[in-house]
Amino acid sequence: MSLLHKMDREIYVLDGESFAWLLRKGRHEITIDHNTMGQTCGILPVGIDSARVKTQGLKWDFGDVSTSNHLVPENPVVSIETDRPVLWTCEIRPL
């Protein structure tokens, strides 16, 4: 994960159960594909002590990082604003 901080481009990490990518400082709009994305998602500080994060469109919108949150079926977009780089992760819906 530390390599994601060092790279000057978007890199997606994918395994059989989830995927993730680094959200740099600023505002991000993530289009949610409920056919492929599972319910559980998270915003994680990686390599930093803290971050201020504001979310809109998740089940629990609040101003902090969250290791476990949920996507809401009615919301096609999740907005995330962060003052430091954080890792966005989301489970993949089983086939």
Side-chain angles (χ1 to χ4, degrees):
M1 294 301 151
S2 68
L3 182 60
L4 296 177
H5 283 280
K6 296 174 186 174
M7 301 300 289
D8 193 25
R9 57 186 141 149
E10 279 192 7
I11 296 176
Y12 299 87
V13 178
L14 176 68
D15 68 18
E17 298 176 2
S18 64
F19 65 94
W21 71 88
L22 186 71
L23 299 178
R24 302 204 183 272
K25 177 181 174 180
R27 183 170 172 80
H28 305 271
E29 300 283 327
I30 300 171
T31 302
I32 304 301
D33 179 356
H34 292 285
N35 293 319
T36 58
M37 294 178 175
Q39 179 182 18
T40 305
C41 62
I43 302 166
L44 310 166
V46 176
I48 57 174
D49 55 354
S50 66
R52 291 180 191 210
V53 177
K54 181 179 178 183
T55 64
Q56 187 174 21
L58 296 175
K59 184 170 184 178
W60 300 288
D61 288 323
F62 47 84
D64 205 353
V65 293
S66 170
T67 59
S68 183
N69 208 321
H70 288 167
L71 299 175
V72 179
E74 303 82 47
N75 293 340
V77 175
V78 170
S79 299
I80 301 172
E81 188 170 352
T82 179
D83 69 341
R84 310 261 318 260
V86 293
L87 188 70
W88 163 259
T89 182
C90 187
E91 91 179 298
I92 298 171
R93 184 176 297 284
L95 297 177

